[in-house]
Amino acid sequence: MDTLGKTITCLAAIAWKKNSLSLEKVEVEPPKAGEVRIKMTSTGICGSDDHTIKGIISVKYPFIPGHEGAGIVESIGEGVSSVKPGDKVLTLAVPQCRECSACLHPKGNFCEKQDLLPSSGLMLDGTSRFTCKGEKIYHSFRTSTFTEYTVVPEISVVKIDAAAPMDKICIISCEVATGYGAAVHSAQVTPGSTCVVFGLGGIGSAVVMGCKDSGASRIIGVDINEEKFPRAKALGVTDFLNPSNLKKPVQEVVNEMTGTGVDFAFEAIGLTETMVAAWDSCNLSHGVCTIIGVSAPDLKLSLSAVEVFTGRTLKGTCLGDYKTRDCFPQLVTAYLQNKINIDPLITHQLPFDQLHKAFEVYHAGKTIRCVLLF
Ligand code: APR
Ligand code: ZN
């Protein structure tokens, strides 16, 4: 293999500053000890990537965005044992080090080696593997998948079934785990229950799928973009609400529609007002509100204090609470065995060099998920 041990020059997307994304030739160094260099095959455009490019989620500029990725291992650094060159892999926005308190806890998945909160933009040794025009380029979430080659820590990558279709499977690493997982694994939606899903983009659509697969009897979908409604209906939404057309707050309407509030509410947008609305849509005694959306780090939620003691649960979830290296290969296998159908969650596929077009379609609100192919 002629790239082994050498710096690779390839095409990558760089956010030089807020709201500026350009395709550049970058140099990608070989992996150091405990690291893996991956030749990307596909990556999805997630709402969180848009948030990083816009500077809503705090990151270091200039950086290479992207976290929802699939690829093939090109080379490995010293000591790497869980993957080898040629393996099909997924990148992990939250790693699994298997040593920290979160990894050792039976339920936790927010590994202490994550680089989201706060984000250093650097590998575990405090350095970057990317340069462009002589300048150091930061990583995002230690995944940076908007590039033909990336380098990630071994704990941020997992081998998947060799039969996995690489043009689609990337969405398991965020959209499916995050959305579907929020419903079936984090909230554990029960048969016959009522649900409301705020946001019917990529993540919200996967939540709807999880609610439906769990046997929910009613799924209320909330979005300001009615173009999202037909696809959401096909996935299982039974009632739609567009908050901008309502004369009263959306939570009041949800409470009237259900009589007592829903059993399960999900927020898949990342706005504090929709998080509060999701909470206020829940049944006072047993409702479970699951927050999936990522908001800016300095924002606070304001909830009616007296309505907290009544028994409701407010829960956050990241990547469906799945321990990523243990569980993501199982999700891939479940897809290959036709136990989860991820296909309807991908509405667009474009070559990587048409990244700008892909963002245009995303910003126009046309996509559930647009996947870039390398
Ligand atoms: N009320 C209702 N719906 C809204 C509102 C609002 N105020 N603002 C935006 N939306 C809808 C959009 O129209 C879109 O359909 O929310 C949806 C967001 O979907 P995407 O942009 O596709 O984002 P997605 O990838 O689904 O991520 C959603 O989850 O992982 C997190 O960080 C991510 O916070 C983001 C959220
Ligand atoms: Zn994501």
Side-chain angles (χ1 to χ4, degrees):
M1 225 185 278
D2 60 356
T3 50
L4 195 70
K6 293 181 189 157
T7 293
I8 296 176
T9 302
C10 68
L11 197 65
I14 297 183
W16 291 102
K17 53 183 173 39
K18 278 186 193 182
N19 295 310
S20 109
L21 194 64
S22 57
L23 284 171
E24 308 279 359
K25 287 269 169 221
V26 297
E27 290 89 48
V28 183
E29 286 173 24
K32 290 193 181 172
E35 298 177 357
V36 179
R37 190 160 62 181
I38 305 166
K39 186 177 195 311
M40 298 307 302
T41 52
S42 61
T43 183
I45 295 183
C46 174
S48 302
D49 300 318
D50 190 53
H51 288 353
T52 58
I53 295 160
K54 287 182 175 150
I56 298 168
I57 296 178
S58 104
V59 284
K60 298 248 170 65
Y61 296 87
F63 73 98
I64 298 179
H67 60 281
E68 188 177 88
I72 293 171
V73 174
E74 176 269 341
S75 61
I76 54 175
E78 207 186 301
V80 170
S81 59
S82 62
V83 295
K84 60 179 186 315
D87 282 350
K88 288 184 175 178
V89 292
L90 294 179
T91 55
L92 309 171
V94 173
Q96 186 187 351
C97 75
R98 298 187 169 130
E99 287 168 357
C100 74
S101 67
C103 287
L104 292 175
H105 190 277
K107 280 193 170 169
N109 80 333
F110 204 65
C111 173
E112 289 172 17
K113 301 255 169 64
Q114 53 79 26
D115 199 44
L116 285 143
L117 269 184
S119 168
S120 70
L122 298 168
M123 296 295 277
L124 289 161
D125 72 350
T127 63
S128 155
R129 298 294 159 268
F130 302 122
T131 48
C132 179
K133 299 172 186 164
E135 198 175 326
K136 170 167 94 176
I137 308 297
Y138 288 96
H139 297 243
S140 60
F141 311 158
R142 295 203 183 102
T143 48
S144 287
T145 56
F146 292 178
T147 168
E148 290 173 320
Y149 287 85
T150 192
V151 179
V152 305
E154 181 181 12
I155 59 172
S156 304
V157 68
V158 70
K159 180 181 170 171
I160 56 169
D161 195 311
M166 297 305 275
D167 58 335
K168 290 181 182 164
I169 211 72
C170 62
I171 67 164
I172 298 254
S173 83
C174 180
E175 182 185 17
V176 175
T178 302
Y180 193 83
V184 305
H185 189 244
S186 309
Q188 302 192 0
V189 168
T190 47
S193 58
T194 53
C195 302
V196 62
V197 182
F198 285 79
L200 299 171
I203 305 292
S205 300
V207 174
V208 169
M209 205 180 246
C211 294
K212 169 98 177 157
D213 281 3
S214 303
S217 61
R218 194 170 188 189
I219 306 170
I220 303 168
V222 181
D223 203 298
I224 47 170
N225 178 0
E226 294 190 11
E227 273 192 66
K228 306 275 170 156
F229 292 179
R231 287 196 195 110
K233 188 169 184 189
L235 291 174
V237 172
T238 53
D239 309 76
F240 289 95
L241 294 173
N242 176 353
S244 23
N245 290 345
L246 300 173
K247 296 207 170 56
K248 41 183 143 178
V250 61
Q251 54 270 43
E252 279 183 32
V253 179
V254 173
N255 283 309
E256 282 169 14
M257 285 166 76
T258 52
T260 54
V262 294
D263 302 315
F264 296 96
F266 298 88
E267 201 277 353
I269 303 166
L271 298 173
T272 53
E273 58 266 36
T274 41
M275 292 178 188
V276 173
W279 169 251
D280 285 336
S281 301
C282 281
N283 183 292
L284 268 184
S285 120
H286 64 260
V288 177
C289 176
T290 304
I291 305 289
I292 307 164
V294 184
S295 61
D298 51 339
L299 298 177
K300 304 257 186 274
L301 288 181
S302 173
L303 307 176
S304 155
V306 76
E307 290 182 7
V308 177
F309 91 100
T310 60
R312 285 184 285 187
T313 304
L314 179 62
K315 187 181 165 17
T317 177
C318 179
L319 293 171
D321 289 323
Y322 290 117
K323 288 186 187 290
T324 51
R325 286 207 281 165
D326 292 347
C327 299
F328 285 14
Q330 296 170 20
L331 291 173
V332 171
T333 304
Y335 169 60
L336 293 173
Q337 293 174 346
N338 295 317
K339 290 180 185 156
I340 320 173
N341 181 14
I342 67 168
D343 297 357
L345 297 174
I346 301 174
T347 52
H348 296 71
Q349 287 180 314
L350 283 170
F352 177 60
D353 61 7
Q354 288 189 38
L355 177 86
H356 286 103
K357 172 142 188 247
F359 267 95
E360 267 169 39
V361 193
Y362 169 78
H363 285 136
K366 307 278 182 206
T367 61
I368 289 186
R369 211 35 134 224
C370 179
V371 168
L372 297 165
L373 302 173
F374 293 85

